[in-house]
């Protein structure tokens, strides 16, 4: 019996355009998943793929400018959020189907505001499932579904490998967009200064001829030490004057939170292969950088292509 291939597309807001590149690379390799499990933007891209709307979705993503994405949304302070995403999703309403009718098993992760529990959406409208899974708290409106108010699944399970396994996947490839988080590395202490290791000489061997005189060696050591101290003093002065900014702190904290949350879930339900596109330079709001994000996703998949094909063989 052939192994069932499960693809997990994780959360990441605008970074989710990398999922398009993963899917394109997968198609290039002649692979098609039997199961797709998505969270947040991963549910959105995965849903577009299963609805045969990926080409239209990719064209839309590549045309976005820094502010044009918001023009498709409606600002309305209600239902627990600032922005109503329904108008944007209506643009793809013509592609919508019920999850039960898809040729591939599909599930999206959301969170119940009333209980705090993780919710797996495996039936009903694909578009509504994606909208609930990607309802970022405070920013986007919560979505009403069967007497529940649902929000973004990223606050519970950013890369839902467990859902893919529950849907029957034997081999799971997970795409974790938060594995390489955006941290404020300018506040990271520099590595300690290291000196070259001593030259080891076996007993009986003649000592190598010195390249410099002892006086030159001591002089260089003193000069290097002085430069290092001056550098450390300057770095300390700069850090004393600078503090983390509000929004970059929020971005970094969200990344770090999702990184640890995904790691915790992976410890319990690990994927067979985890693709980790390097998205540390990608703000979650950078919807206008689809070209480079798509290429990064494609690169991440092709880099592990042989391993994936071997597992599925």
């Amino acid at each position: 019996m052939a192994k069932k291939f499960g693809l997990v597309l994780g959360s990441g807001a605008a970074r989710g355009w990398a999922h398009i590149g993963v899917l394109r690379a997968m198609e290039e390799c002649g692979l098609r998943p039997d199961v797709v499990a998505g969270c947040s933007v991963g549910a959105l891209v995965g849903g577009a793929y299963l609805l045969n709307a990926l080409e239209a979705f990719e064209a839309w993503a590549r045309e976005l400018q820094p502010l044009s994405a918001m023009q498709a949304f409606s600002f309305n302070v209600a239902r627990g959020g600032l922005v109503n995403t329904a108008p944007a999703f209506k643009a793809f309403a013509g592609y919508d189907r019920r999850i039960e009718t898809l040729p591939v098993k599909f599930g999206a992760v959301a969170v119940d505001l009333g209980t705090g529990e993780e919710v797996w959406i495996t039936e009903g409208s694909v578009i509504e499932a994606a909208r609930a899974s990607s309802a970022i708290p405070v920013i986007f409106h919560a979505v009403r579904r069967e007497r529940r108010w649902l929000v973004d699944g990223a606050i519970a399970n950013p890369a839902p490998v467990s859902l893919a396994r529950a849907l029957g996947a034997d081999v799971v490839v997970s795409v974790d967009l938060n594995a390489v988080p955006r941290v404020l590395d300018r506040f990271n202490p520099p590595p300690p200064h290291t000196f070259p290791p001593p030259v080891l000489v076996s007993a009986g061997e003649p000592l190598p001829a010195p390249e410099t005189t002892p006086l030159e060696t001591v002089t260089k050591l003193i000069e290097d030490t002085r430069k290092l101290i001056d550098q450390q003093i300057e770095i300390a002065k700069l850090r004393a004057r600078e503090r983390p900014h509000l929004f970059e702190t929020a971005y970094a904290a969200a990344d770090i939170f999702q990184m640890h949350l995904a790691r915790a879930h992976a410890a319990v339900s690990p994927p067979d292969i985890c693709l980790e596109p390097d998205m540390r330079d990608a703000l979650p709001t950078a919807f206008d950088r689809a070209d480079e994000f798509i290429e990064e996703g494609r690169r991440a998949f092709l880099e592990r292509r042989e391993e994936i094909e071997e597992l599925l063989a």
Side-chain angles (χ1 to χ4, degrees):
M1 178 180 288
K3 298 175 183 176
K4 290 188 177 180
F5 171 27
L7 181 65
V8 173
L9 303 177
S11 62
R15 297 172 178 177
W17 294 168
H19 291 320
I20 299 175
V22 168
L23 290 166
R24 290 305 189 199
M26 186 183 68
E27 289 178 337
E28 289 177 30
C29 299
L31 299 174
R32 184 172 178 82
D34 302 288
V35 172
V36 175
C39 178
S40 197
V41 69
L44 176 60
V45 177
Y49 167 72
L50 295 178
L51 293 174
N52 294 319
L54 188 62
E55 185 173 344
F57 186 85
E58 180 179 348
W60 174 73
R62 289 184 184 274
E63 291 173 359
L64 288 177
Q65 297 302 314
L67 296 179
S68 62
M70 300 308 295
Q71 295 174 356
F73 301 145
S74 172
F75 284 89
N76 181 8
V77 182
R79 295 185 180 178
L82 299 173
V83 179
N84 180 13
T85 58
F89 283 93
K90 282 182 180 178
F92 296 95
Y95 292 95
D96 199 14
R97 293 174 59 180
R98 292 188 64 83
I99 295 173
E100 305 93 306
T101 68
L102 295 174
V104 170
K105 289 188 176 181
F106 175 67
V109 174
V111 172
D112 186 341
L113 273 179
T115 65
E117 296 298 320
E118 179 180 340
V119 176
W120 291 352
I121 306 174
T122 57
E123 58 184 25
S125 160
V126 172
I127 288 180
E128 284 302 298
R131 191 159 77 92
S133 182
S134 57
I136 302 173
V138 181
I139 304 299
F140 295 150
H141 288 190
V143 174
R144 181 76 165 175
R145 178 183 169 85
E146 297 176 356
R147 299 182 181 181
R148 291 176 165 182
W149 286 106
L150 303 181
V151 292
D152 196 333
I155 62 178
N157 194 350
V161 174
S162 52
L163 173 56
R165 298 284 189 199
L167 291 174
D170 300 311
V171 174
V172 175
V173 175
S174 176
V175 186
D176 186 352
L177 302 179
N178 301 294
V180 186
R182 181 184 179 88
V183 295
L184 306 185
D185 52 8
R186 69 178 183 278
F187 296 108
N188 185 30
H193 185 71
T194 57
F195 295 96
V199 177
L200 300 179
V201 180
S202 301
E205 291 185 10
L207 292 173
E211 296 180 359
T212 59
T213 66
L215 178 59
E216 289 173 333
T217 300
V218 172
T219 302
K220 186 176 186 306
L221 176 61
I222 294 172
E223 181 63 20
D224 288 347
T225 303
R226 184 188 64 77
K227 288 180 180 179
L228 177 63
I229 293 173
D230 289 344
Q231 182 186 48
Q232 296 296 326
I233 291 173
E234 188 59 31
I235 291 173
K237 287 179 179 178
L238 290 172
R239 286 180 176 161
R241 292 194 298 265
E242 187 177 11
R243 300 180 186 278
H245 305 305
L246 173 64
F247 289 109
E248 68 175 359
T249 299
Y251 288 141
D255 263 21
I256 294 167
F257 165 74
Q258 290 197 60
M259 175 190 70
H260 286 290
L261 186 56
R263 285 179 180 176
H265 277 283
V268 176
S269 183
D272 295 284
I273 290 180
C274 183
L275 305 183
E276 301 179 349
D278 189 345
M279 311 299 290
R280 78 185 76 190
D281 187 42
L283 287 174
T285 55
F287 291 98
D288 58 315
R289 295 173 61 186
D291 290 350
E292 57 186 289
F293 294 173
I294 290 171
E295 182 56 33
E296 175 60 20
R298 180 177 179 277
R299 182 205 62 77
F301 186 92
L302 293 178
E303 193 175 67
R304 307 289 297 274
R305 172 181 179 173
E306 291 184 5
E307 295 174 68
I308 295 169
E309 291 178 334
E310 184 176 343
L311 281 172
L312 294 172

